[in-house]
Amino acid sequence: MNIFRKKDASKDRTGMRRHLKIPDLILLGIGAMVGTGIFTITGTGAAKYAGPALTISIVISALCVSISALFYAEFASRIPANGGAYSYIYAVLGEFPAWLAGWLTIMEFMTAISGVASGWGSYLKGLLSGFGIQLPAALNGTFNPKAGTYVDLLPILVLVFVTGVVLLNSKAALRFNSALVVLKFSALALFIIAGFFFIKPENWSNFSPFGFGEIYGGKVGIMAGASLMFFAFLGFESISMAVDEIKEPQKNVPRGIVLSLSIVTILYILVTLVLTGVVHYSKLDVSDAVAFALRSVGLGWAANYISVVAILTLITVCISMTYALSRMIYSIARDGLLPRSFKKLTETSRVPKNATILVGIASAVCAGIFPLASIASFLNICTLAYLILLALAVLKLRKDQGMPKAGEFKTPLVPLTPILSIIICLSFMTQYTKETWQAFGIALALGSLIYAFYGYRNSEIAVKEK
């Protein structure tokens, strides 16, 4: 039984069209990253974990993500295959590690889409409550019979809409996404400029009320805040999952990842500084933190604008991630590790229809039933686990194939950077609760069973060997 058999998917041809350029990739990356993390999680992170020092947490998270982004960039230039980390690991470490990376990526993106949809619902509820409008209790919260809530209807409705958009041809879907990203920037620029005039430096006087925290196993402090804010950067890898639709992927994927990640890091730092300067960190544990801060200083009109824009533009994260995840599932199904019905493309727009519908249904179920806090921790730990696999794959790639050739992206300071990435990822993983680890263990066990009873036998490699 060879669970480490390898496949270089960069040599495969698909029926997708190459039409995406650098601006499309930057907007895809920004669209995936700038969402619930900046509109919602920043408030929770400041209030419960790090205070104003959440800005330092963001820098630490950005460092971790940036190192992993370098790995993605090198793989994208050397093995330009659709499917992101799954395809890269398949070519270097083998099938079972690749399947685990793919399975964990599916868990990450599916729960991320759900989390963003939940954040979207919170902003819409906040806006509607200002007009005295509320949904019936049974349809107004995740499953909690004691509180009288059974399903959160609004996130489910937005995911039905998102699935419909992504089923359009990819160019049309990304144009819609790009327009909403521009609108999102206008709201954040308004918050930074308007909020600047209401900053009270005394709100920063106790800059790090929870301290630095523990490198391993901490529950509060800057490091715990960094493990939470890791959620805010998820989605940068969505660019590498669309390789088959990108013009000159070996050059454009690394550029798209690096540029979008740099823009988002600067934006997060500015927003967090203004947020904790306008409102004392202890008051920011709310689901619509950015709008709440403006309302607290009497800028109701600006808060309403940001709420409306957040309602519209959090959709961009769902679109970007649904788009990327459907391509990931398409790639795995093409290799035979998932049912081949998920590799079916529509006749006209060449979109993976069944994979997109699966993503929409699964994400809607999660968003309607599970609370945002549980979603964020679970998807973080799944992501950190497969980023460790990616770091190991970089070390193996260099051992087997040597240095990148001229014109290919080169990750600096290998083997130091992969080892540093593994240490940081393990540090973040120890910050999570026992319940999160239990959910992670169940996910790993379920993924392993799917591979053992379906993937191993139906793998394209296994079929060819028969």
mmCIF file of all heavy atoms in Angstrom, residues 18 45 55 83 116 160 188 191 194 224 383 387 409 412 459:
data_model
loop_
_atom_site.group_PDB
_atom_site.id
_atom_site.type_symbol
_atom_site.label_atom_id
_atom_site.label_comp_id
_atom_site.label_asym_id
_atom_site.label_seq_id
_atom_site.Cartn_x
_atom_site.Cartn_y
_atom_site.Cartn_z
ATOM 1 N N ARG A 18 -7.554 30.652 -19.477
ATOM 2 C CA ARG A 18 -6.578 31.543 -18.838
ATOM 3 C C ARG A 18 -6.899 32.980 -19.237
ATOM 4 O O ARG A 18 -6.693 33.361 -20.393
ATOM 5 C CB ARG A 18 -5.161 31.171 -19.268
ATOM 6 C CG ARG A 18 -4.712 29.801 -18.769
ATOM 7 C CD ARG A 18 -3.211 29.613 -18.969
ATOM 8 N NE ARG A 18 -2.773 28.289 -18.569
ATOM 9 C CZ ARG A 18 -2.485 27.940 -17.318
ATOM 10 N NH1 ARG A 18 -2.608 28.829 -16.352
ATOM 11 N NH2 ARG A 18 -2.084 26.717 -17.038
ATOM 12 N N GLY A 45 -10.684 40.774 19.395
ATOM 13 C CA GLY A 45 -9.273 40.591 19.731
ATOM 14 C C GLY A 45 -8.767 41.633 20.698
ATOM 15 O O GLY A 45 -8.004 41.327 21.628
ATOM 16 N N THR A 55 -2.345 45.517 17.562
ATOM 17 C CA THR A 55 -1.559 45.899 16.373
ATOM 18 C C THR A 55 -0.283 45.058 16.280
ATOM 19 O O THR A 55 0.140 44.677 15.190
ATOM 20 C CB THR A 55 -1.192 47.394 16.416
ATOM 21 O OG1 THR A 55 -0.602 47.705 17.686
ATOM 22 C CG2 THR A 55 -2.410 48.261 16.211
ATOM 23 N N GLY A 83 -5.127 24.075 -7.442
ATOM 24 C CA GLY A 83 -5.358 23.331 -6.213
ATOM 25 C C GLY A 83 -4.517 23.769 -5.039
ATOM 26 O O GLY A 83 -4.648 23.237 -3.938
ATOM 27 N N VAL A 116 -17.648 34.269 7.647
ATOM 28 C CA VAL A 116 -17.884 35.573 7.023
ATOM 29 C C VAL A 116 -19.378 35.813 6.834
ATOM 30 O O VAL A 116 -19.878 36.922 7.056
ATOM 31 C CB VAL A 116 -17.142 35.672 5.677
ATOM 32 C CG1 VAL A 116 -17.525 36.943 4.935
ATOM 33 C CG2 VAL A 116 -15.643 35.640 5.908
ATOM 34 N N VAL A 160 -26.705 31.448 -0.488
ATOM 35 C CA VAL A 160 -27.459 31.056 -1.685
ATOM 36 C C VAL A 160 -27.161 32.031 -2.817
ATOM 37 O O VAL A 160 -26.910 31.641 -3.966
ATOM 38 C CB VAL A 160 -28.977 31.022 -1.384
ATOM 39 C CG1 VAL A 160 -29.772 30.848 -2.679
ATOM 40 C CG2 VAL A 160 -29.304 29.894 -0.411
ATOM 41 N N LEU A 188 -13.485 51.694 4.607
ATOM 42 C CA LEU A 188 -12.369 51.653 5.545
ATOM 43 C C LEU A 188 -11.589 52.968 5.531
ATOM 44 O O LEU A 188 -11.114 53.432 6.574
ATOM 45 C CB LEU A 188 -11.450 50.482 5.210
ATOM 46 C CG LEU A 188 -12.087 49.094 5.423
ATOM 47 C CD1 LEU A 188 -11.165 47.999 4.934
ATOM 48 C CD2 LEU A 188 -12.447 48.883 6.886
ATOM 49 N N PHE A 191 -13.546 55.336 7.638
ATOM 50 C CA PHE A 191 -13.358 55.052 9.061
ATOM 51 C C PHE A 191 -12.025 55.607 9.556
ATOM 52 O O PHE A 191 -11.967 56.240 10.618
ATOM 53 C CB PHE A 191 -13.416 53.547 9.314
ATOM 54 C CG PHE A 191 -13.054 53.167 10.722
ATOM 55 C CD1 PHE A 191 -13.935 53.404 11.760
ATOM 56 C CD2 PHE A 191 -11.816 52.605 11.013
ATOM 57 C CE1 PHE A 191 -13.597 53.084 13.070
ATOM 58 C CE2 PHE A 191 -11.477 52.277 12.312
ATOM 59 C CZ PHE A 191 -12.376 52.514 13.344
ATOM 60 N N ALA A 194 -12.228 59.664 9.316
ATOM 61 C CA ALA A 194 -13.177 60.240 10.268
ATOM 62 C C ALA A 194 -12.776 59.914 11.705
ATOM 63 O O ALA A 194 -12.837 60.772 12.593
ATOM 64 C CB ALA A 194 -14.585 59.727 9.977
ATOM 65 N N ALA A 224 -1.796 35.266 22.008
ATOM 66 C CA ALA A 224 -3.153 34.735 21.833
ATOM 67 C C ALA A 224 -3.917 35.582 20.823
ATOM 68 O O ALA A 224 -4.683 35.059 20.003
ATOM 69 C CB ALA A 224 -3.882 34.700 23.175
ATOM 70 N N THR A 383 -5.875 25.429 9.228
ATOM 71 C CA THR A 383 -4.944 26.128 8.336
ATOM 72 C C THR A 383 -3.510 25.975 8.810
ATOM 73 O O THR A 383 -2.591 25.698 8.014
ATOM 74 C CB THR A 383 -5.303 27.627 8.266
ATOM 75 O OG1 THR A 383 -6.678 27.753 7.938
ATOM 76 C CG2 THR A 383 -4.459 28.342 7.232
ATOM 77 N N LEU A 387 -0.281 24.356 6.786
ATOM 78 C CA LEU A 387 0.873 25.218 6.514
ATOM 79 C C LEU A 387 2.167 24.573 7.029
ATOM 80 O O LEU A 387 3.240 24.792 6.470
ATOM 81 C CB LEU A 387 0.674 26.600 7.135
ATOM 82 C CG LEU A 387 -0.383 27.486 6.467
ATOM 83 C CD1 LEU A 387 -0.453 28.842 7.158
ATOM 84 C CD2 LEU A 387 -0.109 27.661 4.971
ATOM 85 N N PHE A 409 10.589 31.960 -8.632
ATOM 86 C CA PHE A 409 10.641 32.633 -7.331
ATOM 87 C C PHE A 409 11.453 31.794 -6.346
ATOM 88 O O PHE A 409 11.332 30.578 -6.302
ATOM 89 C CB PHE A 409 9.234 32.851 -6.787
ATOM 90 C CG PHE A 409 9.187 33.684 -5.531
ATOM 91 C CD1 PHE A 409 9.077 35.056 -5.595
ATOM 92 C CD2 PHE A 409 9.275 33.073 -4.278
ATOM 93 C CE1 PHE A 409 9.048 35.820 -4.437
ATOM 94 C CE2 PHE A 409 9.241 33.836 -3.114
ATOM 95 C CZ PHE A 409 9.131 35.210 -3.198
ATOM 96 N N PRO A 412 13.650 33.001 0.442
ATOM 97 C CA PRO A 412 14.950 33.279 1.063
ATOM 98 C C PRO A 412 15.194 32.437 2.318
ATOM 99 O O PRO A 412 14.257 31.984 2.968
ATOM 100 C CB PRO A 412 14.853 34.769 1.418
ATOM 101 C CG PRO A 412 13.393 35.023 1.588
ATOM 102 C CD PRO A 412 12.708 34.111 0.609
ATOM 103 N N SER A 459 -8.093 6.795 -6.671
ATOM 104 C CA SER A 459 -7.086 7.732 -7.154
ATOM 105 C C SER A 459 -6.758 7.465 -8.613
ATOM 106 O O SER A 459 -6.701 6.311 -9.047
ATOM 107 C CB SER A 459 -5.814 7.584 -6.306
ATOM 108 O OG SER A 459 -4.712 8.186 -6.940
#
